[in-house]
């Protein structure tokens, strides 16, 4: 089966790039990678796979992408951290064109298995009002009150995946990612998420004489963050499973405040910074964590890489990128 055609949509992005690297490492020889970005902007770019630069909002391009494929991973989306999704709701919802057309094309091409990357942003906002967070169980997505824009698109597309499975027999699998982080991701420019943004700000402060950091919100928001290696393991296990038919959490349950995350990065950097809080910046919900009961039960596994361990690798990579771009 190592020569079956596997398609990674959004493979020029953070998670897609890692997925392609992993599939190559596992010995898959027939990989097609598709992304809208010019090749020089892909986070990881491999010459020994088929690379296509296509806009997957268009059905013809999705057909080209899915032709002959046995498995499809759909990781393509117009997305970013809170700063991006709070200010680009229409753009985020337009990703529904990619999600829908990819399902149509995969079904038309006779694809056997289809992975869809959903998000913890599908969860009902009312259940995330307190920093003293109760971990989110899969059923907490309903009654629906998802994150405006981005979250609603994900919820709709999750349901499309379900109906394609039930109505047409396409074996869809859906994971709700909770904040994934790691090397080869966005670390500046406005789409970066909290772990990368905090690393960059700490590095900036460390390399300058200005030992200050601005934190979005009051820093008391609680979150969990999953290292990319756990994410990759989970994607594979979920796609190949025969029991995970409904959307399932794929996230760490090690909860931390944003202040706590800054503490960790300061410790790694060996510096203490003066903190200021920007209360008008996008900060997202007050509390969010992943309930991993279901994944542990279904897959006998749950993400376990410690935040401190993953952030060391993340910090080291962003440090190198920063110095390469801006100097010391
Ligand atoms: P990313 O932005 O790095 O990757 C997404 C890729 O999709 C980008 O390279 C982008 O160019 C591509 N894309 C966008 N529009 C396209 C189009 N019209 N045609 C073709 N390609 C297009 O994001 P990521 O962090 O790798 O996320 C991958 C998936 O996981 C996305 O669906 C995202 O919503 C989901 N997700 C990610 C996280 C996270 O913490 N990173 C959390 C929840 C869900």
């Amino acid at each position: 089966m190592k020569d079956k055609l596997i398609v990674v949509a959004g493979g020029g992005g953070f998670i897609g790039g890692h997925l392609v690297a992993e599939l190559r490492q596992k010995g898959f020889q027939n990989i097609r990678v598709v992304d809208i970005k010019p090749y020089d902007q892909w986070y990881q770019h491999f010459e020994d796979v088929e690379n296509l630069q296509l806009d997957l909002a268009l059905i013809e391009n999705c057909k080209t992408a899915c032709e002959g494929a046995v498995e499809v991973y759909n990781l393509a989306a117009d997305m970013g951290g809170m700063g991006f999704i709070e200010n680009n709701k229409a753009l985020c919802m337009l990703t529904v064109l990619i999600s829908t057309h990819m399902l149509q094309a995969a079904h038309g091409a006779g694809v056997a298995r289809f992975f869809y990357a959903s998000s913890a942003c599908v969860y009902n906002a009312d259940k995330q009002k307190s920093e003293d967070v109760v971990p989110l169980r899969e059923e907490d997505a309903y009654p629906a009150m998802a994150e405006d824009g981005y979250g609603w698109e994900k919820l709709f597309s999750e349901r499309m995946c379900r109906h394609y499975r039930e109505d047409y027999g396409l074996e869809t699998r859906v994971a709700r990612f909770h904040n994934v982080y790691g090397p080869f991701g966005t670390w500046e420019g406005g789409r970066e998420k909290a772990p990368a943004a905090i690393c960059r700000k700490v590095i900036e402060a460390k390399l300058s004489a200005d030992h200050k950091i601005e934190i979005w919100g009051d820093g008391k928001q609680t979150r969990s963050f999953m290292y990319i290696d756990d994410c990759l393991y989970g994607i594979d296990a979920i796609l190949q499973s025969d029991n995970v038919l409904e959307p399932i959490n794929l996230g760490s349950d090690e909860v931390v405040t944003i202040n706590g995350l800054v503490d960790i990065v300061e410790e790694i950097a060996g510096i203490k910074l003066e903190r200021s809080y920007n209360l008008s910046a996008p900060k997202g919900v007050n509390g969010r964590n992943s309930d991993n009961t279901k994944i542990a039960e279904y897959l006998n596994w749950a993400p376990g890489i410690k935040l401190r361990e993953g952030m060391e690798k993340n910090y080291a990579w962003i440090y190198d990128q920063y110095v390469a771009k801006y100097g010391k």
Side-chain angles (χ1 to χ4, degrees):
M1 286 300 270
K2 294 276 181 194
D3 60 351
K4 65 183 173 190
L5 177 61
I6 300 177
V7 171
V8 181
F14 162 50
I15 301 171
H18 281 284
L19 183 61
V20 175
E22 192 195 52
L23 290 167
R24 285 171 68 254
Q25 224 168 23
K26 284 182 173 167
F28 288 100
Q29 291 143 10
N30 203 357
I31 305 170
R32 179 180 295 150
V33 191
V34 192
D35 203 289
I36 194 172
K37 290 188 296 199
Y39 297 127
D40 62 357
Q41 289 172 28
W42 292 23
Y43 290 121
Q44 302 191 61
H45 186 250
F46 303 99
E47 292 303 334
D48 57 353
V49 300
E50 182 186 356
N51 295 304
L52 299 177
Q53 194 198 329
L54 294 174
D55 179 357
L56 293 173
L58 306 174
I59 182 79
E60 317 79 82
N61 289 340
C62 293
K63 286 181 182 165
T64 306
C66 291
E67 197 185 341
V70 176
E71 284 176 2
V72 171
Y73 296 85
N74 182 14
L75 300 164
D78 224 334
M79 61 89 67
M82 275 328 292
F84 179 81
I85 65 177
E86 282 200 6
N87 293 308
N88 295 277
K89 296 185 180 117
L91 211 54
C92 287
M93 287 203 85
L94 280 174
T95 294
V96 77
L97 296 173
I98 305 175
S99 313
T100 309
H101 288 150
M102 281 299 290
L103 277 168
Q104 276 185 292
H107 169 55
V111 164
R113 285 189 180 238
F114 185 99
F115 179 86
Y116 176 63
S118 184
S119 161
C121 287
V122 299
Y123 283 112
N124 187 314
D126 289 342
K127 299 190 175 169
Q128 305 172 76
K129 283 186 168 160
S130 166
E131 288 123 12
D132 195 10
V133 60
V134 178
L136 293 158
R137 293 163 306 156
E138 282 75 2
E139 53 268 38
D140 290 331
Y142 297 95
M145 190 41 71
E147 173 83 37
D148 216 359
Y150 178 75
W152 279 103
E153 190 281 322
K154 290 289 186 197
L155 200 59
F156 173 86
S157 297
E158 281 190 355
R159 297 183 75 94
M160 283 291 281
C161 287
R162 180 167 107 204
H163 297 313
Y164 263 78
R165 180 170 50 76
E166 289 173 349
D167 295 356
Y168 302 126
L170 173 58
E171 286 295 333
T172 55
R173 298 289 182 271
V174 177
R176 291 179 181 154
F177 296 165
H178 290 244
N179 288 313
V180 191
Y181 70 96
F184 297 101
T186 311
W187 58 276
E188 65 169 356
R191 286 185 188 242
E192 63 279 16
K193 297 185 152 210
I198 290 169
C199 286
R200 189 202 66 236
K201 288 180 185 182
V202 170
I203 292 162
E204 232 161 34
K206 186 181 160 89
L207 296 178
S208 73
D210 192 19
H211 287 182
K212 292 185 184 141
I213 185 165
E214 185 194 83
I215 295 169
W216 285 9
D218 59 12
K220 293 179 185 151
Q221 317 90 292
T222 44
R223 291 289 185 280
S224 71
F225 298 96
M226 170 172 57
Y227 191 62
I228 183 68
D229 291 1
D230 271 339
C231 181
L232 295 174
Y233 182 90
I235 291 174
D236 182 49
I238 290 166
L239 185 65
Q240 303 311 333
S241 77
D242 285 323
N243 55 354
V244 186
L245 301 184
E246 295 296 325
I248 193 165
N249 280 333
L250 181 54
S252 164
D253 59 4
E254 180 186 348
V255 72
V256 66
T257 62
I258 293 298
N259 275 325
L261 183 61
V262 177
D263 290 340
I264 289 175
V265 180
E266 282 181 343
E267 245 176 68
I268 294 168
I271 198 168
K272 207 76 196 136
L273 303 172
E274 188 187 320
R275 298 179 187 186
S276 65
Y277 295 92
N278 182 349
L279 300 180
S280 52
K283 65 163 215 165
V285 293
N286 287 333
R288 176 180 289 164
N289 189 15
S290 176
D291 183 311
N292 286 347
T293 312
K294 210 163 240 177
I295 197 165
E297 185 190 323
Y298 284 12
L299 301 180
N300 203 17
W301 170 88
I305 298 171
K306 290 280 164 221
L307 185 58
R308 167 72 202 232
E309 188 191 324
M311 283 303 284
E312 272 176 27
K313 294 181 192 159
N314 199 30
Y315 179 89
W317 182 81
I318 295 174
Y319 185 89
D320 289 347
Q321 303 308 301
Y322 189 96
V323 169
K325 187 162 178 188
Y326 298 111
K328 280 200 176 187

